Amino acid sequence: MNKQPKYRQVADALRREIANGTFAPGARLPSESDLQQRFDASRNTVRNGLSLLVSEGLISSSQGLGYEVRSHEVFKLNASKFENLDFPQNGDAYNTDVTNAGRRPHQTFRVEMLPASEEIADRLRIAAGTKAVLRFCHRYVDDVPWSTQATYYPAWLADESPRLAEPGDIEEGTTRYLAERGIEQVGYFDEIAARMPTPEEARLLEMGAGVPVLLWTRTGFSTDRPIRCTITTFRGDLNQMNYEIGDLSARSENEPQ
């Protein structure tokens, strides 16, 4: 005997059918009245089951239009190659990866000088409240919000590399720009975490209920000190991060990339 609450039974059955392709991405689910008949359940029970799937990010609802299976065209980012100057680039790393995947990049910029928070100051090894340059990018893939990226540079670095503090894009990418000025990033430290979005993140990334964000914090180092801290906030439903470490010559070319 199934002891689960009836609304969970409804959600479990629909979740299985979404997973096996009975309801494909973009497909509409049956109406609430049809689901009531199918599951011999009340309208509230059906709505509670559907609300559970909405909270999991599997379906979305539109007033008067019912429920639709969310489309998830995942972008795969090779994080170990991102910003690697040994690889050919078409502009910065973001433009290179998106165009190489056969998709269309677009981004907007904001640049400002502001006091570093304690978290950022700790990573940059500067005193909290010390001025830092923030370069903020709002990035899209095929016109769909993909990520936001906030990169902080210590003020001393902007003094040596003035384009960092200028508005607009640095076409070749800031890592390459700094390397050309003799400030080479020789290593980085990555931190990866997930959480639910803030209201501002949900607005910028146009995220539905139940979808988490993936946070990727990369602190870059020259030979003697940190030179930047980048916090990238990804939509958790549209992104996958991959790393390649060590000798992968035995990896089949036919394996998923």
Side-chain angles (χ1 to χ4, degrees):
M1 181 178 177
N2 194 332
K3 295 183 179 180
Q4 284 219 95
K6 191 67 175 279
Y7 81 93
R8 286 192 173 274
Q9 295 176 41
V10 172
D12 288 348
L14 294 174
R15 190 186 298 107
R16 283 193 298 270
E17 291 172 347
I18 292 170
N20 67 25
T22 301
F23 298 112
R28 289 207 182 284
L29 295 184
S31 67
E32 290 182 358
S33 58
D34 287 343
L35 293 174
Q36 282 179 256
Q37 292 182 16
R38 172 184 169 183
F39 293 104
D40 188 23
S42 69
R43 182 176 294 272
N44 280 342
T45 295
V46 167
R47 284 183 174 175
N48 287 340
L50 292 168
S51 294
L52 183 58
L53 297 182
V54 169
S55 73
E56 294 172 2
L58 289 177
I59 64 174
S60 59
S61 64
S62 299
Q63 189 69 33
L65 297 176
Y67 294 84
E68 184 178 289
V69 180
R70 291 176 62 90
S71 297
H72 295 84
E73 189 174 359
V74 175
F75 184 84
K76 297 180 180 180
L77 173 71
N78 191 316
S80 51
K81 292 182 179 179
F82 200 73
E83 301 173 6
N84 190 326
L85 304 188
D86 293 333
F87 292 92
Q89 286 196 238
N90 174 25
D92 64 12
Y94 154 75
N95 278 281
T96 299
D97 276 14
V98 176
T99 54
N100 284 350
R103 301 177 69 176
R104 190 173 65 258
H106 167 65
Q107 56 186 330
T108 61
F109 291 89
R110 184 178 84 245
V111 180
E112 58 184 298
M113 186 78 76
L114 76 178
S117 68
E118 191 168 332
E119 176 189 8
I120 298 302
D122 183 59
R123 286 176 169 83
L124 294 179
R125 295 185 199 158
I126 59 178
T130 301
K131 293 290 186 180
V133 175
L134 166 63
R135 295 183 62 84
F136 184 88
C137 307
H138 190 191
R139 290 175 164 169
Y140 298 76
V141 174
D142 297 334
D143 296 325
V144 177
W146 178 57
S147 69
T148 63
Q149 186 178 84
T151 301
Y152 298 86
Y153 299 92
W156 65 261
L157 186 57
D159 291 340
E160 296 182 20
S161 309
R163 283 177 66 195
L164 288 179
E166 295 175 1
D169 190 12
I170 295 179
E171 207 169 297
E172 68 273 29
T174 53
T175 303
R176 195 176 293 271
Y177 164 62
L178 291 173
E180 289 169 351
R181 296 184 64 82
I183 305 166
E184 185 180 358
Q185 178 177 278
V186 298
Y188 53 76
F189 176 71
D190 279 5
E191 302 163 78
I192 299 171
R195 59 165 170 75
M196 298 309 294
T198 66
E200 177 67 3
E201 289 166 345
R203 183 186 68 81
L204 288 173
L205 297 176
E206 297 179 12
M207 298 170 64
V211 179
V213 291
L214 178 66
L215 297 176
W216 177 24
T217 302
R218 172 169 286 188
T219 306
F221 295 84
S222 66
T223 54
D224 59 350
R225 54 183 165 174
I227 55 175
R228 56 97 177 201
C229 175
T230 298
I231 302 173
T232 307
T233 305
F234 294 105
R235 280 180 58 152
D237 59 338
L238 295 181
N239 290 279
Q240 174 182 314
M241 289 178 63
N242 300 330
Y243 282 84
E244 296 180 9
I245 299 171
D247 184 352
L248 300 181
S249 56
R251 186 168 184 244
S252 169
E253 291 183 3
N254 296 322
E255 288 184 45
Q257 298 299 306

